[in-house]
């Protein structure tokens, strides 16, 4: 067992006192000492407001420096942080605030405007994330503490606040640190109880394995901080190393992201497949399909030269200083992955879930294998429940330091997932003799064939998504038949002057060609065209439950 997470944060602040810690892209910047001062003030605020260790403090807002400081303050104080996705609907936010019995709430003012205070019986105080000003108080102690906070700080540190004043408690590693509400593709929002040891295990693993990232290096936090991948790997891990974290406070459009890459020149990028796939599919693949390029690619020396130029151009797009891209949250398109391997681009695919805070597997780009999402991380044991794990998929179960305590106020769900000391992930996987994991699909998504065969819709979707004019797809069971729901690439179709009838014919042809690659029991019987993108979670996973049939 490594250092306690609070001690890691404390040491990083002391060591990097004068260095830049956080920047809102094109906005304010904080040095590590500024972060420490703000944490100390919030600790005073919590203390005077009567917040006890174990009390819940909800945080709901867009990514930013003040969000991160509020979280670090809650964690190091010993209260329980309840991150809430700012994309959630107000009624869902209210449900989480009430279900968690949060005592305090930090929220963007725009979010607070849409919440009904009368329906929050446990909340005693609400603060604006932007400046920690008071939006609501139901306790005179909170009102007084916020009004006199600067004076309280001056009294507590009468000389001056120094790095020697940064001392954070090492609380019981098995005690609750974060209550994270899932927003996955199954439609059920559950409060995952994450202990200090789970976060600590993930951070220590990242500190040991991602050694190419060091003090002063810039990193862009693009994923939602209310998700464990963004929170732990994109914010807490680089903060623990003395890095300079940039937050994209606006919706990360491709232009904003590319501008940020050019300015920050990150050594590490953590992202979901969609961003990488869009760049490859729109910038690279069309170029390689041109007749003269196809000809040049058949010539060995020219081939290598062209691939080298494409790799250099891609690296430049990502800022020109890239050591590794870690992809998580969903499977990477196989054609994109084959191409990235062909040009020896430094990508890797990791795998995790909220219940493991979040890492389950990872391998650096030098050793990871095609189609794999890495090897099980240190501190976790994993088993595939299969008679032949290398060839026959089975449910993956894990146990170890990363694993949650259970689901908050949900004993049935806890008993279903945590059995005999193992966390049953719900993911169907294979594992090779060297311990590399290959995900085949979700247990809940699996379709049973006519003679009891296991059909994994994700594998069919991967093939279909590589076919002409397919933007995204879902494969479902409908009255015993397999049907493909497809959202075509309408933008590309318009560029080619194709109408609805043309698109419909192309999709039917796609299904015919697809069925030639599939065994008889998993043949697709029909296709339904959708005119709008499928609804997604903030991690860009399709909310499958909205489209399941029967």
């Amino acid at each position: 067992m490594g250092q306690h997470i609070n001690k890691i944060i404390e040491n990083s602040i002391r060591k990097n006192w004068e260095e830049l810690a956080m920047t809102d892209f094109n906005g304010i910047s904080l040095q590590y000492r500024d972060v420490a001062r703000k944490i100390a003030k919030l600790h005073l605020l919590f203390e005077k407001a009567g917040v006890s260790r174990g009390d819940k403090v909800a945080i709901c807002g867009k990514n930013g420096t003040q969000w991160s400081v509020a979280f670090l303050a809650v964690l190091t104080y010993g209260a329980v942080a309840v991150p809430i996705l700012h994309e959630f609907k107000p009624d869902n936010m209210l449900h989480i605030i009430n279900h968690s019995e949060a005592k305090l709430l930090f929220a963007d003012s725009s979010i607070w405007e849409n919440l009904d205070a009368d329906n929050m019986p446990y909340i005693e105080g609400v603060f604006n994330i932007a400046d920690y000003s008071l939006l609501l108080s139901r306790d005179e102690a909170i009102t007084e503490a916020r009004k006199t906070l600067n004076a309280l700080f001056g009294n507590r540190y009468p000389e001056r606040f120094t790095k020697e004043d940064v001392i954070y408690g090492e609380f019981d590693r098995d005690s609750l640190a974060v209550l994270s509400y899932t927003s996955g593709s199954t439609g059920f929002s559950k409060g995952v109880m994450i202990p200090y040891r789970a976060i600590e295990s993930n951070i220590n693993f990242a500190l040991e394995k991602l050694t190419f990232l060091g003090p002063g290096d810039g990193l862009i936090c693009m994923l939602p901080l209310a998700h464990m991948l963004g929170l732990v790997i994109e914010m807490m891990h680089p903060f623990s190393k003395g890095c300079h974290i940039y937050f994209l406070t606006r919706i990360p459009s491709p232009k904003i992201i590319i501008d940020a890459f050019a300015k920050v020149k990150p050594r590490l990028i953590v992202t979901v497949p969609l961003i990488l796939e869009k760049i490859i599919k729109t910038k690279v693949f069309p170029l390689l399909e041109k007749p003269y390029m196809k000809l040049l690619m058949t010539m060995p020396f020219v081939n290598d030269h062209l691939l080298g130029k494409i790799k250099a151009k891609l690296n430049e797009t990502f800022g020109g200083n890239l050591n590794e891209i870690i992809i998580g949250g969903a499977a990477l398109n196989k054609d994109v992955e084959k191409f990235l391997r062909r040009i020896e681009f430094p990508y890797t695919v990791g795998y995790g879930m909220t219940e493991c805070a979040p890492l389950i597997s990872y391998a650096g780009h030098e050793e990871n294998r095609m189609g794999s999402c890495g090897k099980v991380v240190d501190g976790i044991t994993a088993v595939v429940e299969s008679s032949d794990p290398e060839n026959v998929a089975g449910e993956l179960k894990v146990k170890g330091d990363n694993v949650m305590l259970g689901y908050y106020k949900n004993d049935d769900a806890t008993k279903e997932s945590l059995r005999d000391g193992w966390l049953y992930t719900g993911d169907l996987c294979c594992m090779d003799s060297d311990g590399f994991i290959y995900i085949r699909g979700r247990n809940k998504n699996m379709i049973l064939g006519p003679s009891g065969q296991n059909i994994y819709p994700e594998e069919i979707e991967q093939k279909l998504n590589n076919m002409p004019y397919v933007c995204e797809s879902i494969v479902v069971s409908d009255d015993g038949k397999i049907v493909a729901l497809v959202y075509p690439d309408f933008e590309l179709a318009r560029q080619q002057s194709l109408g609805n009838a043309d698109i419909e014919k192309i999709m039917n042809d796609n299904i015919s060609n697809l069925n030639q690659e599939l065994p008889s029991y998993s043949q697709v019987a029909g296709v339904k065209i959708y005119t709008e993108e499928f609804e997604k979670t903030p991690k860009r996973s399709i909310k499958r439950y909205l489209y399941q049939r029967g």
Side-chain angles (χ1 to χ4, degrees), residues 5 11 38 49 52 211-212 311 365 402 407 475 509 549:
I5 181 57
N11 288 342
K38 286 177 177 286
S52 302
T211 54
F212 55 83
K311 179 181 178 179
H365 66 273
N402 287 20
Y407 295 109
V475 170
D509 289 344
R549 297 185 173 200

Side-chain angles (χ1 to χ4, degrees), residues 274-292:
L274 193 70
I275 292 172
L276 190 60
E277 288 171 3
K278 273 193 172 181
I279 292 170
I280 303 291
K281 283 184 173 181
T282 59
K283 305 274 186 188
V284 179
F285 283 179
L287 179 67
L288 294 178
E289 286 300 313
K290 291 182 178 179
Y292 75 92

Side-chain angles (χ1 to χ4, degrees), residues 29 52 119 132 149 215 287 387 412 447:
S29 291
S52 302
N119 285 330
Y132 306 143
L149 188 55
L287 179 67
S387 56
D412 290 343
I447 299 168

Side-chain angles (χ1 to χ4, degrees), residues 343-386:
I343 65 173
E344 298 180 347
F345 200 72
Y347 84 96
T348 190
V349 179
Y351 159 60
M353 56 196 301
T354 303
E355 287 83 347
C356 288
L359 292 182
I360 293 175
S361 64
Y362 163 86
H365 66 273
E366 307 93 340
E367 65 167 332
N368 207 11
R369 298 176 180 178
M370 178 74 187
S372 168
C373 54
K375 292 194 284 190
V376 176
V377 299
D378 299 342
I380 276 192
T381 303
V383 171
V384 172
E385 289 206 321
S386 167

Side-chain angles (χ1 to χ4, degrees), residues 302-315:
V302 177
N303 178 340
D304 292 343
H305 179 69
L306 276 177
L307 290 176
K309 289 189 77 171
I310 291 168
K311 179 181 178 179
K313 185 67 179 174
L314 263 184
N315 191 42

Side-chain angles (χ1 to χ4, degrees), residues 492-512:
L492 181 60
R494 279 195 298 271
Q495 291 172 8
Q496 303 294 329
S497 302
L498 299 177
N500 291 340
D502 299 314
I503 292 173
E504 190 172 337
K505 182 181 184 307
I506 291 169
M507 293 305 142
N508 285 321
D509 289 344
N510 283 342
I511 297 302
S512 298

